[in-house]
């Protein structure tokens, strides 16, 4: 009867309806792909300019002259200004409570990356002298530069899925700046010490210091066995001194980290916020100047990424198994695990329902190795050439990986 046929049509959509839904989903995915692609293209174009400027023919961003100076300016001026200005405008006591999951999320990327790195070292039998480099590349992602470049650029893109462009851009800078600050602390505590422990070029002075420390502990143990009391305060201070010597505090409290602390203080303390941030603030010119200096950091950082990638590119074929392994870890395994972690956190109500925030948490799992790996290998004088090869290969692959994963993540959180 007609009533049965009507009921059947309601239960079972027609082929035409299926076709329209499929085409609509395809169009929506294509639009998200274009939104994700455009910032990556912009980054690639500026990176190519950095590569060209680093060529000997142009002699503008060469290692001996301008590149070193620009790197210094970015490290000491642009990065801290960018982080400070962004956090001061965005972070309040209320928003900070909502973002509590971010430090844990980033820590999980480091822990899971380290475990996958250990598996990679054993599976492909990485040479002993490259263990620290491979583990460091698998452990720490580029949480500073790329989120600061890509996420705000997505917000500025026409048709971005995260709402009003200005509000999205402001929030994206705040989220990315907090990511950069937390990532910097983790890189210089976890990755730095991984490379240090696995480094085979430990100086003779460090060996002697370590031997003397062991002897001192043996003497203390002998004395304690002879029932001679050693003050507890003295023991605690000696242990703290050893820990401080092992951790590079100067690197840990980098200018970007200090800028993050200053930005958090300005954003969280009501008096400073009234003086610098709110509408018609009496000292707003200071905040505007900080933001203006910080805005110059993004193109400068991108140029330096290109200039640094061109160094020491010989031996790409020799490192191919290691490169492929790191690409699998950082661009396939980690994102897959990250989706499970973030979706699980959303399910249990641990993350507030902001699609942009959820997108950034997912993005944490898809980034190439930290740019700081180049600096860390230079500090220890080991594997600099191999590090440059790995960075070039992984960042080249990231251009495609980040576009695809960003498209999928936007579709996932909306």
């Amino acid at each position: 009867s007609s009533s049965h046929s009507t009921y059947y049509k309601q239960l079972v959509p027609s082929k035409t309806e299926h076709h329209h839904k499929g085409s609509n989903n395809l169009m929506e995915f294509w639009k998200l792909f274009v939104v994700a692609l455009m910032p990556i293209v912009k980054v690639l174009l500026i990176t190519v300019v950095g590569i060209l400027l680093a060529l000997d023919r142009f002699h503008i961003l060469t290692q001996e002259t301008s590149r070193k100076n620009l790197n210094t300016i970015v490290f000491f001026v642009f990065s801290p200004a960018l982080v400070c200005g962004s956090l001061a405008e965005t972070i309040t006591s209320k928003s900070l409570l909502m973002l509590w999951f971010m430090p844990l999320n980033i820590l999980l990327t480091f822990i899971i990356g380290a475990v996958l790195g250990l598996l990679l070292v054993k599976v492909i039998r990485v040479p002993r002298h490259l263990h620290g480099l491979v583990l460091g590349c698998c452990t720490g992602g580029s949480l500073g530069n790329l989120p600061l470049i890509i996420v705000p650029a997505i917000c500025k893109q026409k048709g971005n899925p995260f709402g009003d462009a200005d509000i999205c851009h402001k929030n994206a800078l705040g989220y990315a700046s907090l990511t950069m600050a937390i990532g910097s602390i983790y890189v210089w505590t976890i990755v730095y010490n991984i490379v240090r422990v696995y480094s085979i070029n430990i100086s003779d002075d460090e060996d002697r210091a370590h031997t003397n420390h062991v002897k001192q502990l043996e003497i203390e143990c002998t004395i304690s066995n002879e029932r001679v009391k050693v003050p507890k305060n003295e023991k605690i201070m000696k242990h703290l001194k050893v820990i401080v010597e092992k951790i590079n505090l100067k690197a840990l409290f980098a200018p970007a980290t200090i800028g993050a602390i200053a930005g958090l203080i300005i954003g969280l303390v009501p008096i400073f916020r009234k003086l610098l941030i709110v509408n018609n603030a009496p000292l707003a010119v200071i905040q505007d100047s900080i933001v203006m200096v910080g805005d110059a950091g993004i193109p400068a950082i991108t140029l330096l990424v290109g200039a640094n990638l061109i160094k020491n590119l010989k031996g790409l074929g020799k490192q191919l198994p290691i490169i492929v392994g790191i690409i699998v870890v950082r661009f396939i395994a980690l994102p897959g695990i990250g989706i499970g972690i973030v979706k699980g956190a959303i399910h249990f109500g641990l993350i507030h329902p902001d699609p942009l925030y959820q997108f950034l948490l997912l993005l944490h799992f898809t980034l190439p190795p930290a740019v700081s790996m180049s600096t860390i290998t230079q500090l220890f004088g080991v594997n600099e050439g191999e590090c440059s090869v790995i960075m070039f290969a992984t960042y080249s692959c990231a251009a495609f990986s980040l576009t695809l994963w960003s498209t999928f993540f936007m579709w996932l959180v909306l």
Side-chain angles (χ1 to χ4, degrees), residues 19 48 73 195:
H19 176 73
V48 169
I73 294 170
V195 177

Side-chain angles (χ1 to χ4, degrees), residues 232-242:
K232 288 184 178 180
N233 292 338
E234 190 176 335
K235 283 185 179 181
I236 292 169
M237 290 303 295
K238 283 180 180 178
H239 286 302
L240 285 175
K241 189 178 178 182
V242 172

